[in-house]
Amino acid sequence: MRTAICAVDVTRGRLRELVALPSGGDSSYPGLVWHDERLHVSYYSSHEGRSCVYLAEVDLGSR
């Protein structure tokens, strides 16, 4: 299991993964903010052995 940013094509009923974030194990509760042409994502994951909160900045401009 992991946390990823995906695009949904509702007309075709398809999901496309854009970016997989560093994550695994117990991973959930993302928060999303669009600011300065970047998607800011907060989430927690236990992929480093214990649960921690992470913040990722994702540039989706070329996707």
Side-chain angles (χ1 to χ4, degrees):
M1 297 214 270
R2 67 178 185 270
T3 300
I5 306 300
C6 299
V8 178
D9 184 338
V10 293
T11 58
R12 294 182 178 162
R14 294 191 180 159
L15 181 72
R16 180 172 56 110
E17 185 175 294
L18 302 174
V19 177
L21 300 174
S23 58
D26 189 15
S27 182
S28 190
Y29 301 111
L32 308 170
V33 174
W34 182 258
H35 179 69
D36 289 338
E37 301 299 315
R38 290 184 181 257
L39 182 64
H40 300 258
V41 184
S42 64
Y43 63 102
Y44 86 86
S45 176
S46 63
H47 68 284
E48 295 184 317
R50 62 186 179 125
S51 293
C52 294
V53 176
Y54 298 90
L55 178 64
E57 289 185 21
V58 181
D59 183 359
L60 297 174
S62 62
R63 297 177 194 276

